[in-house]
Amino acid sequence: MQSSNKHVEEFLQSVCNEIKCKSVHKSVARELENHIEDQKTEYVNKGFDEETALKKAIKEMGNPASVGRELDKTHRPKTEWSILAITSVLVILSGTIQFLFSGTSQDTSYMFSHFLLYSLIGIAAFLIVYFFDYTLFSTYPKLIYTGIFIMTLLVFVFSNKPYGGFIYMYYAVLLFIPAFAGIVYSLKDKGYLGIVISGLFYLSGAFLCLISPSVISLLLLTISAFTIITTSIAKGFFKVNKKIGFAIVYVPTLLSFIILIIKAHEYISKIFMIYLYPGFDPKGAGYLYLMLRNTVSQARLIGSSLNENTIIPLWNTDFTLTYIIARWGYVAGIAITALMAILIVRMFIIVSKQKNSYSFLLSLSSTIAITAQIVLYVLSNISIIAPIQITLPFFSFGAYSFITNMILLGLLLSVYRRSHLISDRFKGTQHKKPVLSFENGKLTIDFGLLKPKKLQ
Amino acid sequence: MKIDKSLMAGSTTMLILKLLDTEDMYGYQMIEELERRSQNVFTLKAGTLYPILHSLEQGGMVESYDRLSEGKRTRKYYSITNKGKKLFKEKQAEWDCYTTSVNQVLGGFGLCNHLTSM
């Protein structure tokens, strides 16, 4: 609130004192200040001197405290109860399963106590992100992205590479995705170069996935980054010709894809063989797939179809859904999947309601990251796609997965909580300069990279 | 003639929606326009207007955007949505029936038959 006048400022201050939600203070104060100015001009035109006009204009506004109280009623943060309820049900179900099996064998004895510990940490992480004003993230998007990059790299350097690659990459990617949304937002209005720079940031994350190496992380990052960038181009965030914009993204992608297929055709055709002929290589790559497929096809509607031949590896992390279907029947599996489906729909409804481009991109990124995991997990568990190492958000056993997914959910609901409070204030204030501009015989190249973007 | 405030309270939302149905406006403009159209009978206070506008916006009845208006000030403009237009029609029908009924009681000359749908 930077008002030229003390009286106006006093008035606005006492209005805002009544409004608990701080994030609306600025916009409310600005609107009311404009109103007072208009009213003042009107009185000046009627022949009053400046000071009297202003005093009359302020008086006209009414009692500041009661105006503030009225506004406070309409600006209460919103809570998405259905998503909170579904997540709670999933976490409780997951806990119940860990409880039932904790201690049934030696390698499961720690499960429930671990679950209790990490679920508390996850809920705490959720709450911190949920109540934190996410718009602050928009100020230093590149710093945040680079920070995650360096931390991941440090983990790589200082930990021994386990067999099968760094599992941490998966969780790092879940954080890279919302950070990438921040990057895209910061490159808003930057034209074609904005798209290219976004692409470079994506590639730096993808590079980590490759040296890790973690195919599933690369897949998650790619699906999410492409959804974010495609939506941004389609929504006109970059202010470019959409067709050329899509071409910039998809032509190099298709080319690299073709090169990949040519270079690794043997490996890829092997994967395809497993799909088409599950009997192919039954002792090697096809083993897990066959095992899961048999388990699913033998499952009953309700009740257990487990027998001494059933083997479900990693049943409490990567193939929990397969296990549930085998242990309690299709109905139980469908129930869990339906809950997940409702969760996905509710998340997308939040995204669709965002008016502000930053809230939109951030909520989209969290939603895509959670949704991609759920979809890939379900498809892999019911043997529609080859088995992959992935976790079911809020459900699979595992501290890192649970905590990172809770952070994503926290971000999404934090956006929802404030969605009606932060509307698009960018139209007038946005850094509108194009990257290349030619003015007074001077060619200016402005990437806008040095300026932190401030919301409001 | 000044009228009793409570008479106006029920119809303020409808009047605001009506104004926005003609064009996009910012808050002060709405108050001015309302005074002009009602020949100074309706004076809406800012303290009443903005809470209504903000809750209409949250309900998706109106949308807001910033635009540079004359005088070089960025103003928050409101525009009505389809949902808002529907609400306006409902409110208007409700209002018509109400006034007709009041008139019937008072003078016996009002007719509500064209509004039986409400």
Side-chain angles (χ1 to χ4, degrees), chain A residues 8 42 63 90 117 147 186 204 219 276 308 355 368 372 403:
Chain A
V8 179
E42 174 75 23
N63 180 322
L90 290 173
L117 184 67
S186 75
S204 72
L219 188 65
L276 298 174
E308 65 273 17
K355 282 174 29 183
I368 285 294
I403 294 166

Side-chain angles (χ1 to χ4, degrees), chain A residues 5 27 39 58 65 106 118 139 163 190 350 361 366 400 406:
Chain A
N5 187 284
S27 74
Q39 186 74 66
I58 294 174
Q106 261 198 339
Y118 77 66
T139 318
Y163 176 72
K190 292 288 179 292
I350 293 184
L361 285 171
S366 315
Y400 292 115
M406 284 305 264

Side-chain angles (χ1 to χ4, degrees), chain A residues 96-114:
Chain A
T96 313
I97 294 174
Q98 317 301 346
F99 180 73
L100 286 176
F101 292 93
S102 207
T104 49
S105 72
Q106 261 198 339
D107 17 299
T108 56
S109 56
Y110 63 92
M111 271 170 51
F112 190 62
S113 53
H114 266 219

Side-chain angles (χ1 to χ4, degrees), chain A residues 97 100-101 104 292 295-296 299 303-306 310-330 332-333 377 381-382 395:
Chain A
I97 294 174
L100 286 176
F101 292 93
T104 49
L292 294 167
T295 309
V296 172
S304 171
S305 58
L306 289 173
T310 322
I311 301 167
I312 305 173
L314 302 166
W315 67 267
N316 63 348
T317 54
D318 296 8
F319 301 104
T320 312
L321 192 64
T322 315
Y323 179 78
I324 287 172
I325 292 171
R327 176 74 177 75
W328 288 287
Y330 275 123
Y377 191 94
N381 270 244
I382 57 176
F395 204 81

